[in-house]
Amino acid sequence: MASLRTFPVVQVVNTNDRAVGGPGGGYRKFLNSGQMSSYLPLWLSSAGYRTAYLGKFMNGLNSRVSSPTGWEWSDFLVSPFIYSFNRVVMRRDGGKSIEYRGWHQTDVLRLKALEVIEEWGGSDKRPFYLEIAPASPHVRPGGWPTVPLERHMGYFPGVGAPRMPNWNPVDELHQGKPGWVGKLERMNESVVEMVDASMRARLQGLQGVDEIVDDVVELLEKKGILDNTYIIYTTDNGFHLGQHRVTGGKGLPYISDVNIPFAIRGPGIPSNRVTSIPQTHVDIAPTLLDIAGLPQDKWPEFFDGRSLLPEWQAASDEEALSSGAAVHREVMNVEYWGSSNAPAGPYSQRHQENSYKSLRMIAQGGKQGWLFNRWCTSNFTELYDTVADPYELHNLAIDPDEETKKLMGRLSGLLLVTKSCGTDTCRRPWDVLAEAYRNSTAHDPKPALQISFGSKLFASLDQAMHPTYDDFFAQLPMPGFQFCLPLQLASNEGPYFPPESEDLGRKYRQKSMVEEDAEDRYYTTNGTLTVQSDADEYFGDSSQRHASVASLYASARQLSEEEMGWEVEIEGCDEPDSECWELYEDD
């Protein structure tokens, strides 16, 4: 059985790798914190799988640091060439950097993926896992649009960014937005043209990704293993193009940034079924181990997600929930630290003070939905009814009525738990709050009436909104920040609920940063500052659509260290106001 997906699986809460670059995250933090000793390829290998990874792994992976280990077959894109689509440089199995001159990155990854399947595929062979991670349609450094394959240039003439109600909104609809977002002027004609050009480039770039999918599925079928293969198609983030007047980017809590493609094909999964049960990337790793047949007592103890396999195989959401296959989940926590890019070519901007904590709720089969945000800028609060207001334009946290205040108390309580949760408290945050309520009334000589729902006091928003619990939720502290910082610092983000969650999963990783008061802090790193831009020539014409792997390797050339650029030591990264993270390539 084969299993294929795109983009790395990361357990963010317990790894504390919370940014694409230093000081809060990136490959060097992943490496130095010892997390390579227990991650996906090792878990799958223990289940008897062969494992392969092709493409982008993490920012900061370059020729001067050791490559990720644990993969039987690996070929990683390396800095500073990850987003140089017509200058493809990769490292195979930790070896030297190899350039494939005359090729577009997406074609290179497509041919390499087919090579893995050709060699490993077959019903009589060991099961394998292949992860394909193309950089397309990512923007290039400087905020310039992605570069598609030459054969797809000119596609989608006249197409622009979707003009939804939250696209470049008028002043009346832009009121209530926080910090730098709320201060944005409407995009002028020149900026709009750039945003539309970026949209076309992204659509063109995705044509090459579609070709990867087409060729992989075709070869799996030819090998006779398609019907015994799970395929997961997803991405690491959404992208806004003009929504809320922001020219581009992915660093906001709104629906354009956090709602992502998540399509699955595989044995026992009904075709054309759409689910409204919230599912997130932290659920992917346990799902893969479930697919691989690894017993749960062999799973890492730090998983915050759940296996989605029973939900995928259910005929409907009702069946999944009624059978107990789905852990009751209506809550998703999204957090962000540091600055946010707004790429738009010559109009690109970088906005500081973009840290926030966000809770998104989808309940009653999608009939009820809320978005609750707390920002580092004066702990500004947002609340949106995402069913009545799907474009998130009307901030209900401004001058709320009494019922809205009660609702905000429940959502704030959930965010208080999920912002620092771990394992079961992430999967069942209502249980944490219900237990706290039970304890708070245990010694009350005249306890308030306790409304019990089965064995629980409350396990959903509707149940928690009962007036019995008003006083309990009203006395809970609201989550927030003391300062806007570029990474998570425990002392900056209290209080914690329960109190032991302030540990933030430290027991699952090694110390990787400058230590102060036993807290992960700022991190001195090296950065590769020589970034090669795309050449004036373009590659990936129609003649390369069905080119052979042999023709690809005929173009391969090993690069010298001088050609790969140089590194410098960046000083001052141990200071809260340092700008060292600015030197990383665009995220």
Side-chain angles (χ1 to χ4, degrees):
M1 177 172 61
S3 180
L4 303 100
R5 71 174 295 272
T6 63
F7 215 80
V9 175
V10 180
Q11 289 292 124
V12 175
V13 173
N14 290 315
T15 63
N16 202 33
D17 203 328
R18 297 173 182 264
V20 298
Y27 180 66
R28 290 175 186 270
K29 183 174 182 181
F30 173 77
L31 180 66
N32 293 351
S33 60
Q35 295 170 50
M36 208 179 296
S37 63
S38 180
Y39 77 128
L40 186 63
L42 303 179
W43 307 330
L44 289 173
S45 295
S46 69
Y49 272 66
R50 308 183 79 173
T51 59
Y53 194 106
L54 306 173
K56 179 185 174 181
F57 189 76
M58 289 184 183
N59 282 349
L61 174 57
N62 59 41
S63 63
R64 304 298 177 89
V65 295
S66 59
S67 284
T69 57
W71 303 93
E72 185 175 342
W73 186 324
S74 67
D75 218 338
F76 299 109
L77 293 166
V78 292
S79 296
F81 303 100
I82 291 176
Y83 305 122
S84 293
F85 295 97
N86 288 306
R87 185 91 190 271
V88 188
V89 181
M90 305 182 73
R91 289 178 70 185
R92 170 75 182 268
D93 297 333
K96 297 292 186 179
S97 298
I98 303 297
E99 179 185 17
Y100 299 93
R101 192 64 178 165
W103 293 82
H104 188 283
Q105 182 192 108
T106 308
D107 269 347
V108 172
L109 292 176
R110 177 176 57 83
L111 290 173
K112 286 179 176 287
L114 299 178
E115 180 186 19
V116 174
I117 298 171
E118 192 67 56
E119 185 167 328
W120 285 3
S123 57
D124 59 339
K125 296 185 177 181
R126 285 173 54 197
F128 69 90
Y129 172 86
L130 168 61
E131 188 149 344
I132 310 165
S136 183
H138 200 287
V139 298
R140 290 175 291 153
W144 294 95
T146 192
V147 179
L149 291 149
E150 184 179 1
R151 58 183 175 270
H152 300 138
M153 291 181 175
Y155 278 32
F156 308 104
V159 172
R163 267 53 168 179
M164 298 176 179
N166 60 1
W167 188 87
N168 204 21
V170 297
D171 290 348
E172 180 183 357
L173 295 178
H174 196 61
Q175 296 174 1
K177 283 293 180 286
W180 65 266
V181 179
K183 297 174 183 177
L184 291 174
E185 299 290 337
R186 294 195 75 199
M187 299 184 296
N188 62 33
E189 184 176 346
S190 297
V191 177
V192 167
E193 288 178 358
M194 191 69 226
V195 169
D196 286 341
S198 181
M199 179 68 184
R200 286 192 296 277
R202 295 177 72 81
L203 291 172
Q204 293 163 358
L206 284 172
Q207 303 313 296
V209 178
D210 286 350
E211 291 173 352
I212 293 177
V213 175
D214 289 344
D215 288 7
V216 163
V217 170
E218 182 179 348
L219 185 55
L220 290 171
E221 187 169 29
K222 179 181 176 182
K223 290 285 185 178
I225 56 175
L226 178 61
D227 292 338
N228 198 32
T229 298
Y230 288 90
I231 301 175
I232 303 173
Y233 182 95
T234 187
T235 184
D236 56 328
N237 53 260
F239 203 81
H240 51 259
L241 284 167
Q243 288 85 1
H244 307 294
R245 301 183 178 177
V246 187
T247 55
K250 58 187 179 182
L252 296 174
Y254 307 121
I255 192 66
S256 55
D257 295 36
V258 302
N259 190 31
I260 62 174
F262 201 19
I264 302 96
R265 182 194 195 282
I269 299 179
S271 61
N272 300 316
R273 190 169 89 80
V274 177
T275 181
S276 62
I277 301 173
Q279 301 176 351
T280 70
H281 274 185
V282 297
D283 299 319
I284 294 179
T287 303
L288 293 174
L289 299 192
D290 197 5
I291 289 172
L294 191 68
Q296 287 199 24
D297 61 1
K298 303 292 185 184
W299 294 11
E301 62 175 316
F302 57 75
F303 277 168
D304 298 327
R306 69 195 191 277
S307 172
L308 302 175
L309 187 60
E311 298 169 39
W312 290 351
Q313 293 180 331
S316 65
D317 286 358
E318 292 74 19
E319 177 184 316
L321 293 170
S322 64
S323 67
V327 173
H328 184 81
R329 169 177 276 181
E330 57 184 14
V331 174
M332 292 171 287
N333 171 228
V334 177
E335 298 180 73
Y336 191 99
W337 290 266
S339 59
S340 180
N341 286 334
Y347 309 106
S348 297
Q349 297 179 347
R350 190 179 185 94
H351 300 281
Q352 305 298 334
E353 299 187 341
N354 193 67
S355 298
Y356 58 78
K357 297 183 181 297
S358 176
L359 185 91
R360 186 173 288 273
M361 173 173 285
I362 302 174
Q364 298 180 0
K367 296 178 181 178
Q368 183 183 66
W370 303 98
L371 172 62
F372 180 76
N373 303 325
R374 292 276 286 173
W375 290 79
C376 71
T377 47
S378 303
N379 287 310
F380 186 91
T381 303
E382 291 180 286
L383 174 67
Y384 299 97
D385 180 341
T386 57
V387 175
D389 178 22
Y391 299 102
E392 299 160 350
L393 290 166
H394 305 289
N395 185 2
L396 303 177
I398 297 177
D399 193 23
D401 58 26
E402 288 304 312
E403 195 64 20
T404 301
K405 289 178 182 178
K406 292 179 181 180
L407 169 65
M408 291 170 63
R410 272 61 170 182
L411 298 178
S412 176
L414 280 173
L415 183 57
L416 186 65
V417 174
T418 58
K419 75 180 180 68
S420 53
C421 66
T423 62
D424 277 343
T425 61
C426 293
R427 292 185 285 266
R428 301 179 184 276
W430 284 120
D431 289 5
V432 178
L433 294 166
E435 182 64 23
Y437 173 82
R438 184 181 289 108
N439 292 338
S440 71
T441 60
H443 304 294
D444 188 340
K446 294 181 179 180
L449 173 66
Q450 294 189 14
I451 308 300
S452 179
F453 301 91
S455 61
K456 300 180 185 299
L457 296 173
F458 48 84
S460 69
L461 179 61
D462 279 351
Q463 295 169 0
M465 286 295 291
H466 194 281
T468 298
Y469 308 118
D470 285 353
D471 290 343
F472 168 73
F473 281 101
Q475 58 84 34
L476 290 176
M478 292 190 75
F481 302 82
Q482 295 184 45
F483 308 101
C484 290
L485 295 178
L487 78 171
Q488 186 179 46
L489 186 63
S491 59
N492 187 50
E493 301 180 12
Y496 291 86
F497 195 85
E500 58 268 25
S501 66
E502 187 175 358
D503 175 72
L504 297 175
R506 287 189 185 90
K507 64 182 179 180
Y508 301 119
R509 62 183 186 274
Q510 300 172 11
K511 296 178 181 179
S512 63
M513 294 183 172
V514 176
E515 299 293 326
E516 181 173 315
D517 299 328
E519 294 179 353
D520 283 345
R521 197 110 193 234
Y522 296 91
Y523 177 43
T524 301
T525 184
N526 292 326
T528 300
L529 302 181
T530 302
V531 178
Q532 302 289 338
S533 60
D534 283 298
D536 292 335
E537 53 191 330
Y538 299 101
F539 304 118
D541 63 18
S542 58
S543 69
Q544 292 180 317
R545 172 63 183 93
H546 299 288
S548 66
V549 175
S551 64
L552 171 66
Y553 285 122
S555 70
R557 182 180 72 88
Q558 181 176 313
L559 295 183
S560 66
E561 289 301 321
E562 290 74 18
E563 290 176 295
M564 286 299 297
W566 61 88
E567 293 189 326
V568 298
E569 188 75 15
I570 302 173
E571 299 180 353
C573 288
D574 56 345
E575 297 299 329
D577 60 351
S578 73
E579 298 293 325
C580 62
W581 57 89
E582 300 277 1
L583 299 177
Y584 270 75
E585 61 196 291
D586 286 8
D587 58 3

